[in-house]
């Protein structure tokens, strides 16, 4: 349908065209591949160049790992953790969450292992908003992610199973 038209997004640029619709059959997603040395090097350079260009223009950039359906995360964990180690060591962009933070069960997804349901998307947006608002995201943000996760899970946050 018209899922990627401007009218499909809200005022915060979140995709909302699927909200209220019934879930379709999940579209399959391949596991996350291991990076080659060449692709890792190019990726780090692109991210750092982008961050530097943004800094020169007084724009703050944060990195956030995407949501993963739990089985996809589990199947790809070795690759994801290798990517995370590379990002933590070489990318000069503060990261807002650990890769496993939004590894969630099937009910939290809409049509793929990346597209969150309306409720889960709202919770993730709040998590990221709090992390950014606190201005305490750091390259190794274990304490921030843990603190924000505990606050959200003790209240109305997404409950991982």
């Amino acid at each position: 349908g018209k899922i990627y038209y401007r009218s499909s997004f809200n005022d915060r640029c979140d995709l909302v065209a699927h909200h209220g619709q019934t879930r379709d059959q999940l579209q399959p997603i391949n596991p996350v591949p291991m990076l080659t040395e060449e692709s890792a090097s190019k990726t780090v350079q692109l991210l750092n160049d982008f961050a530097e260009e943004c800094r020169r223009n007084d724009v703050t950039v944060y990195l956030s790992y995407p949501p993963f359906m739990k089985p996809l995360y589990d199947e790809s964990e070795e690759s994801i953790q290798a990517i995370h180690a590379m990002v933590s060591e070489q990318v000069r962009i503060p990261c807002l969450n650990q890769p496993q933070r939004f590894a969630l069960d099937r009910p939290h997804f809409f049509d793929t292992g990346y597209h969150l349901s309306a409720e889960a998307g709202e919770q993730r947006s709040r998590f990221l908003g709090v992390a950014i608002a606190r201005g305490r995201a750091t390259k190794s943000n274990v304490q921030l992610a843990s603190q924000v996760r505990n606050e959200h899970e003790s209240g109305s946050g997404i409950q991982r199973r």
Side-chain angles (χ1 to χ4, degrees):
K2 297 181 176 184
I3 195 137
Y4 291 109
Y5 285 80
R6 174 62 189 113
S7 60
S8 299
F9 297 84
N10 67 13
D11 59 347
R12 294 180 310 229
C13 299
D14 295 323
L15 179 64
V16 295
H18 64 289
H19 292 182
Q21 294 181 8
T22 58
R23 292 182 178 139
D24 294 330
Q25 180 83 14
L26 270 182
Q27 297 173 10
I29 293 180
N30 293 326
V32 176
M34 289 298 278
L35 288 177
T36 64
E37 215 173 295
E38 180 182 354
S39 65
S41 177
K42 285 180 182 179
T43 300
V44 166
Q45 188 64 51
L46 284 169
L47 287 169
N48 286 334
D49 288 350
F50 176 74
E52 184 55 37
E53 178 68 22
C54 289
R55 278 195 271 301
R56 282 195 299 268
N57 289 288
D58 293 323
V59 174
T60 302
V61 175
Y62 295 101
L63 185 135
S64 174
Y65 289 97
F68 294 99
M69 193 173 298
K70 186 78 170 100
L72 175 64
Y73 178 86
D74 292 343
E75 186 177 357
S76 304
E77 186 171 15
E78 183 180 352
S79 298
I80 292 168
Q81 289 303 322
I83 291 167
H84 177 60
M86 177 198 69
V87 166
S88 296
E89 293 169 12
Q90 300 175 38
V91 175
R92 296 182 303 270
I93 300 173
C95 188
L96 297 173
N97 65 296
Q98 299 292 307
Q100 66 273 20
R101 173 59 182 100
F102 288 100
L104 305 170
D105 291 326
R106 168 66 178 100
H108 297 295
F109 292 86
F110 180 64
D111 63 345
T112 74
Y114 294 119
H115 294 161
L116 293 173
S117 66
E119 179 184 350
E122 187 65 31
Q123 291 294 326
R124 182 172 187 273
S125 292
R126 276 199 287 274
F127 171 90
L128 296 173
V130 167
I132 292 168
R134 290 186 178 184
R136 295 192 336 232
T138 61
K139 187 180 263 293
S140 58
N141 67 334
V142 174
Q143 290 134 347
L144 172 67
S146 176
Q147 180 180 351
V148 173
R149 178 178 57 246
N150 290 339
E151 289 172 9
H152 282 280
E153 288 181 351
S154 67
S156 61
I158 297 172
Q159 298 298 312
R160 292 186 291 178
R161 296 171 199 195

